[in-house]
């Protein structure tokens, strides 16, 4: 595949403080893009990161025909570059695209775009443990049209961003609160799709949660407001009586890649895994009888994020004394160990560049 490359004359990298990276505020020097129209992909290019020219009638601004992904590149301890499970992200990208009537993105286009971009901007991959180059591929409809219909044209773009921990808490436990008023997604809707609408729906409840001193909302199901779904920026898992319990993929939660990695590791370690409905009442009951040992979120941005407190209907539980639990730490160590090439890549998840 031939990618036309136009390099930036002078890098902006010196402006970035790699010792204090936040999530998603700095962007590397270049971006990849390719257009789709008349039923085929155009010529891919890499050019300096910068503005995209659009018309105000761009249909995706009005009706949200947009899908994105998020994956990471790591600088390994031996100086190589690891992409973590890119095939899995590609698969999910296309499942989301299918739901939003967006064309299939061939693996070659996805992976070669990422590889060339990451290699060109490899100076932007942080070396510090806990930091990485976050890769954000996204596709948006580009017809200029105000009727509601599927667009004929698209722009598939990839940008990258050197990042630190997603939450200001880092690996310290976060605080979650359920919402009695709002829902994230109903079955048959867009909950399993990585599309901006889900994130837009979470903003107001998220702001209200923050005002009350919580990190994020713990979403319950739309039908009964009982069964635990996810956290919006991550999936959720519970350690109950030594078993890993996590809500099943039934269409309203995002099929997380880190969720999948945790399940594979648990199976490998002989930890029983239950992908099943779990109600908030059960979680509170298990906290009270002492069998709820740990709770943690799993996500690409968040990796493993221990949960120390959950509030529901005015009542709060504290999990593992508000401290990181041993299994949360073990999953974190194992997964990040693979990221940085410190631990064996047990399942062949890393694509080393
Ligand atoms: C991710 O984990 O990659 C996410 O997409 C979560 C958030 C940054 C939107």
């Amino acid at each position: 595949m031939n990618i036309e490359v136009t390099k930036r004359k002078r890098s902006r990298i010196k402006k970035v403080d790699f010792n204090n990276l936040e999530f998603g505020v700095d962007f590397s020097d270049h971006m990849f893009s390719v257009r789709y129209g008349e039923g085929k992909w155009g010529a891919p290019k890499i050019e300096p990161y910068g503005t995209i020219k659009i018309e105000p009638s761009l249909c995706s601004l009005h009706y949200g025909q947009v899908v994105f992904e998020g994956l990471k590149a790591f600088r390994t301890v031996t100086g190589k570059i690891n992409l973590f499970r890119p095939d899995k992200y590609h698969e999910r990208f296309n499942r989301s695209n299918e739901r939003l009537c967006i064309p299939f993105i061939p693996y070659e286009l996805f992976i070669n775009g990422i590889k060339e971009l990451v290699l060109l901007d490899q100076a932007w991959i942080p070396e510090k443990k806990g930091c990485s180059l976050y890769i954000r591929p996204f596709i948006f409809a580009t017809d200029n049209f105000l009727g509601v219909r599927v667009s004929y044209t698209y722009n598939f773009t990839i940008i990258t961003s050197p990042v630190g921990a997603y939450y200001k808490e880092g690996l310290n436990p976060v605080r979650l609160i359920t919402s009695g008023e709002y829902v994230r997604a109903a079955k048959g809707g867009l909950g399993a799709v990585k599309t901006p609408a889900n994130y837009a729906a979470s903003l107001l409840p998220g702001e209200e949660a923050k005002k009350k001193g919580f990190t994020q909302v713990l979403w319950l199901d739309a039908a009964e407001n009982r069964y635990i779904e996810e956290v919006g920026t991550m999936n959720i898992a519970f350690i109950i009586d030594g078993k890993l319990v996590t809500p099943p993929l039934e269409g309203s939660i995002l099929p997380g890649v880190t969720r999948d990695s945790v399940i594979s590791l648990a199976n490998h370690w002989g930890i029983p895994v239950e992908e099943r409905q779990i109600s908030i009442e059960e979680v509170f009951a298990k906290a009270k009888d002492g069998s709820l040992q740990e709770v943690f979120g799993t996500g690409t941005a968040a990796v493993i994020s221990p949960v120390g407190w959950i509030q529901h209907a005015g009542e709060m539980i504290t999990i593992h004394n508000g401290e990181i639990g041993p299994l949360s730490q073990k999953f974190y160590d194992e997964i990040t160990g693979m990221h940085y090439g410190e631990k064996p890549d047990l399942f062949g998840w890393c694509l080393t560049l």
Side-chain angles (χ1 to χ4, degrees):
M1 198 178 85
N2 196 26
I3 303 177
E4 190 194 317
V5 180
T6 311
K7 288 193 191 158
R8 182 179 286 279
K9 295 219 169 57
R10 196 180 294 161
S11 173
R12 293 130 60 250
I13 199 165
K14 292 228 167 68
K15 296 200 179 115
V16 179
D17 179 1
F18 277 78
N19 289 316
N20 292 297
L21 287 173
E22 289 177 49
F23 187 89
V25 295
D26 301 301
F27 302 99
S28 67
D29 282 329
H30 298 91
M31 60 186 189
F32 167 94
S33 67
V34 55
R35 292 187 53 77
Y36 179 94
E38 294 176 357
K40 57 181 191 307
W41 293 98
K45 59 182 182 194
I46 287 178
E47 60 196 326
Y49 176 93
T51 52
I52 299 178
K53 224 170 152 188
I54 54 167
E55 286 189 31
S57 57
L58 188 90
C59 64
S60 53
L61 286 182
H62 300 271
Y63 307 123
Q65 204 192 355
V66 181
V67 164
F68 70 94
E69 265 307 330
L71 66 160
K72 283 174 169 174
F74 302 88
R75 181 63 76 182
T76 71
V77 285
T78 55
K80 298 197 174 100
I81 300 167
N82 267 352
L83 294 178
F84 193 67
R85 308 195 73 182
D87 49 334
K88 212 60 194 158
Y89 291 95
H90 171 255
E91 244 176 69
R92 186 174 66 185
F93 203 179
N94 279 319
R95 277 203 307 277
S96 299
N97 288 339
E98 196 179 359
R99 177 65 177 83
L100 288 184
C101 303
I102 292 174
F104 180 88
I105 299 173
Y107 186 67
E108 291 299 291
L109 193 59
F110 176 82
I111 200 65
N112 288 330
I114 290 175
K115 271 190 196 168
E116 289 239 8
L117 186 63
V118 168
L119 285 171
L120 179 63
D121 280 342
Q122 60 174 288
W124 290 78
I125 307 173
E127 286 178 7
K128 206 166 132 190
K129 185 113 197 251
C131 298
S132 60
L133 189 69
Y134 185 76
I135 304 165
R136 171 56 62 90
F138 61 105
I139 185 162
F140 58 100
T142 52
D143 281 9
N144 295 308
F145 179 66
L146 290 186
V148 179
R149 64 146 169 80
V150 173
S151 180
Y152 299 124
T153 62
Y154 297 85
N155 180 326
F156 167 36
T157 295
I158 309 172
I159 57 174
T160 69
S161 170
V163 297
Y166 185 71
Y167 297 115
K168 68 171 176 18
E169 286 90 341
L171 197 55
N172 293 321
V174 295
R175 297 170 177 266
L176 304 180
I177 182 168
T178 60
S179 168
E181 191 177 352
Y182 306 107
V183 294
R184 175 182 174 273
K187 287 201 172 60
L190 296 177
V193 177
K194 209 150 173 69
T195 190
N198 289 324
Y199 300 84
S202 76
L203 294 176
L204 176 64
E207 284 304 296
E208 292 181 4
K210 271 185 211 141
K211 276 193 200 128
K212 292 180 190 150
F214 292 88
T215 322
Q216 285 234 319
V217 174
L218 174 61
W219 293 109
L220 303 179
D221 78 286
E224 294 183 56
N225 206 241
R226 244 188 110 191
Y227 295 102
I228 289 167
E229 298 248 303
E230 61 155 271
V231 187
T233 48
M234 54 187 189
N235 296 107
I236 188 117
F238 302 85
I239 305 294
I240 301 174
D241 269 335
K243 294 186 198 124
L244 180 102
V245 183
T246 193
L249 301 180
E250 287 177 346
S252 54
I253 69 171
L254 197 79
V257 176
T258 312
R259 174 188 180 280
D260 182 84
S261 305
V262 161
I263 290 174
S264 301
L265 278 171
N267 285 329
H268 180 72
W269 289 333
I271 298 170
V273 175
E274 293 179 1
E275 289 181 73
R276 64 161 171 92
Q277 285 195 321
I278 175 163
S279 68
I280 189 73
E281 292 87 0
E282 178 181 344
V283 170
F284 271 59
K286 297 280 162 65
K288 280 177 199 150
D289 74 16
S291 55
L292 178 68
Q293 295 158 303
E294 296 181 42
V295 181
F296 57 90
T298 61
T300 302
V303 192
I304 299 291
S305 177
V307 176
W309 300 267
I310 299 177
Q311 178 153 315
H312 171 68
E315 212 188 324
M316 171 109 97
I317 52 169
T318 301
I319 302 122
H320 202 77
N321 296 320
E323 288 161 13
I324 180 163
L327 268 178
S328 311
Q329 184 75 55
K330 189 168 151 97
F331 282 119
Y332 177 84
D333 289 344
E334 195 68 27
I335 292 173
T336 56
M338 290 186 203
H339 288 161
Y340 299 99
E342 294 168 327
K343 296 221 178 208
D345 182 8
L346 296 172
F347 309 98
W349 282 339
C350 294
L351 178 67
T352 304
L353 305 185

